[in-house]
């Protein structure tokens, strides 16, 4: 899939040698890798080894499954949105209700998994970055559950936008550190978290919140979220006796989307649709749609599509949703786009706000503004589809955290 961009394309870094199966460790096609300071290599190698060992450990898997069920609240329902389906007049619409999980979003899946890994490695301190605050809340929750010190880095602009989640993190015992550098959003929070990790690597685990960063994070975080797609696949087969026509999910870093997509990648007739933040316009700095103006480059440890200016410098971004306001995308999504296996579109701020309002009024469900981007694409697409078609929309989080923003933008 050719993607045009005015940004400078960075030459792809050299890959490591292929393993005996012909695969590049830590790569998804051309994308991925491990581009970090030397001081972090040992920590990443330790994490990689611990994760590979844990995957084979029956007790680890059983404890993870037990916590996901009895603590986080899995499985989440696949809800037939009858009212929305009838209003739009096209495909049948099902909502995967990740918003019903403990802490209010899909993020808890990954945080429980990484918390177990941190404990396995003997780490007693966890750090995390957060944008919309949902990963920060999930990290703080797991810190409390496992009796670990938790520090969350959050851009000061996001602290302002997501004050309810800041309070929740503090209530759970975490220290929230506002970041005032750069754009004061997610990218800058990740930078500060990485600086902390370099300094405290022996005692600290970095609980990265999306399918970003250096190997093994993109693979590991995806694997902890695969439960979304596994459940959805079984649930839709039970409900409709067939696979969905399309699966739609919002894409910031891309964790909820890759979790929803992965179990369907081999089903070529199932359309996989990722929805980026179209923001307030098409100009660089007015959106966070990496496949609309981005180009391959390296950011925060991985090689993927990145919004950058003509000199290759990381561009500013904008989105009404703090969780989608990131200049790069997970490397597996970049590979799926190049292969044409997934389609990536964008929804504007206005479209996401309207979709949020529509879902609230038709189904009594207030989605997170991030998830509302996926709903917005469904609103566009479903009426053009056949009534026999079936769409799954991943509602990755609930909108309680966004009430202040919604109050500012929606006038009744």
């Amino acid at each position: 899939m050719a993607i045009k961009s005015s940004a400078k394309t960075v030459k792809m870094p050299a890959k490591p040698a292929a393993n005996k199966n012909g695969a590049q460790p830590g790569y998804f096609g051309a994308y991925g890798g491990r581009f970090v300071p030397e001081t972090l290599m040992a920590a990443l190698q330790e994490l990689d080894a611990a994760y590979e060992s844990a995957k084979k450990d029956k007790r680890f898997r059983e404890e993870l499954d037990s916590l996901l069920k009895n603590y986080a609240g899995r499985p989440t329902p696949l809800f037939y949105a009858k009212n929305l389906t009838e209003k739009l007049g096209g495909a049948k619409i099902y909502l995967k209700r990740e918003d019903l999980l403990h802490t209010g979003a899909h993020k808890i899946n990954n945080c429980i998994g990484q918390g177990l890994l941190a404990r396995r490695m003997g780490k007693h301190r966890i750090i995390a970055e957060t944008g919309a605050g949902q990963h920060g809340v999930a990290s703080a929750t797991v810190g409390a559950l496992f009796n670990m010190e938790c520090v969350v880095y959050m851009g000061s602009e996001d602290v302002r936008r997501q004050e309810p989640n800041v309070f929740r993190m503090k209530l759970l015992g975490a220290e929230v550190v506002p970041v005032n550098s750069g754009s004061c959003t997610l990218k800058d929070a990740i930078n500060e978290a990485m600086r902390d990790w370099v300094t405290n690597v022996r005692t600290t685990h970095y609980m990265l919140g999306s399918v970003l960063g250096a190997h093994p994070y993109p693979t590991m975080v995806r694997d902890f979220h695969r439960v979304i797609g596994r459940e959805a696949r079984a649930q839709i087969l039970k409900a409709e006796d067939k696979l969905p026509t399309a699966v739609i999910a919002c894409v910031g870093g891309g964790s909820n989307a890759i979790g929803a997509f992965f179990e369907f990648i081999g089903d070529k007739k199932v359309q996989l649709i990722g929805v980026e933040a179209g923001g307030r316009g098409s100009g660089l700095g007015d959106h966070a749609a990496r496949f609309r103006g981005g180009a391959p480059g390296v950011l925060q440890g991985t090689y993927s599509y990145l919004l950058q200016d003509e000199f290759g410098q990381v561009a500013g971004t904008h989105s009404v949703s703090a969780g989608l306001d990131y200049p790069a995308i997970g490397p597996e999504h970049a590979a799926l786009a190049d292969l044409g296996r997934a389609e990536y579109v964008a929804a504007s701020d206005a479209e996401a706000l309207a979709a949020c309002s529509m879902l609230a009024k038709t189904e009594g469900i207030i989605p997170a503004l991030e998830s509302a981007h996926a709903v917005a694409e469904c609103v566009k697409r479903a009426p053009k589809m056949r009534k026999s078609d079936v769409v799954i929309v991943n509602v990755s989080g609930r909108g309680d955290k966004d009430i202040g923003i919604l109050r500012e933008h929606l006038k009744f």
Side-chain angles (χ1 to χ4, degrees), residues 73-81 93-101 104-106 109 225-236 246-250 256 259-261 264 359 365 367-368 371 374-375 391-398:
R74 303 211 72 91
T76 58
L78 185 69
F79 172 68
Y80 171 45
I93 300 166
Y94 283 83
L95 307 177
K96 183 58 173 162
R97 297 293 308 277
E98 294 296 288
D99 58 309
L100 295 179
L101 284 171
H106 72 291
N109 302 323
H225 284 305
R226 284 178 62 180
V227 63
I228 302 171
R230 280 199 300 268
E231 288 179 5
R233 198 175 195 281
Q235 289 166 329
I236 200 66
V247 179
I248 305 176
C250 67
N256 93 88
F261 291 173
F264 296 100
L359 188 61
I365 297 169
S371 312
V375 178
V391 174
I392 295 175
V393 179
N394 195 37
V395 182
S396 56
R398 62 175 175 251

Side-chain angles (χ1 to χ4, degrees), residues 251-265:
V251 184
S255 62
N256 93 88
I258 205 65
F261 291 173
F262 194 79
E263 300 302 317
F264 296 100
I265 288 175

Side-chain angles (χ1 to χ4, degrees), residues 61-252:
R61 297 196 305 269
E62 287 177 346
E63 186 171 10
L64 175 59
D65 289 345
S66 176
L67 285 169
L68 289 175
K69 177 182 178 181
N70 299 313
Y71 186 71
R74 303 211 72 91
T76 58
L78 185 69
F79 172 68
Y80 171 45
K82 181 175 182 290
N83 296 336
L84 184 62
T85 297
E86 292 177 352
K87 181 177 181 65
L88 296 177
K92 292 183 75 172
I93 300 166
Y94 283 83
L95 307 177
K96 183 58 173 162
R97 297 293 308 277
E98 294 296 288
D99 58 309
L100 295 179
L101 284 171
H102 179 44
T103 73
H106 72 291
K107 297 292 187 179
I108 193 70
N109 302 323
N110 170 52
C111 288
I112 289 175
Q114 287 201 50
L116 290 172
L117 277 176
R119 189 181 69 185
R120 189 182 182 95
M121 292 185 291
K123 310 288 186 180
H124 58 77
R125 179 176 182 265
I126 56 175
I127 59 174
E129 84 297 330
T130 196
Q134 290 303 107
H135 176 61
V137 170
S139 297
T141 298
V142 168
L145 179 65
F146 292 160
N147 194 29
M148 294 176 175
E149 179 185 353
C150 179
V151 178
V152 180
Y153 291 91
M154 189 173 190
S156 56
E157 172 61 15
D158 293 336
V159 168
R160 181 191 67 79
R161 292 194 287 182
Q162 303 291 338
E163 192 280 330
N165 273 346
V166 174
F167 181 79
R168 291 172 74 197
M169 286 181 262
K170 292 178 178 178
L171 183 62
L172 289 159
E175 177 186 358
V176 181
V177 180
V179 177
N180 295 305
S181 59
S183 61
C184 304
T185 55
L186 182 58
K187 169 179 67 69
D188 312 291
I190 294 175
N191 285 339
E192 289 303 314
M194 292 184 74
R195 290 188 183 100
D196 184 320
W197 197 25
V198 168
T199 305
N200 301 289
V201 69
R202 292 184 179 179
T203 61
T204 298
H205 171 65
Y206 179 18
M207 193 174 281
L208 186 60
S210 195
V211 286
L212 302 166
H215 176 66
Y217 282 106
T219 298
M220 181 179 68
V221 176
R222 176 202 69 198
D223 288 350
F224 287 138
H225 284 305
R226 284 178 62 180
V227 63
I228 302 171
R230 280 199 300 268
E231 288 179 5
R233 198 175 195 281
Q235 289 166 329
I236 200 66
L237 285 172
K238 182 176 181 180
E240 294 288 336
D241 198 28
K242 64 180 179 181
L243 292 174
T245 310
V247 179
I248 305 176
C250 67
V251 184

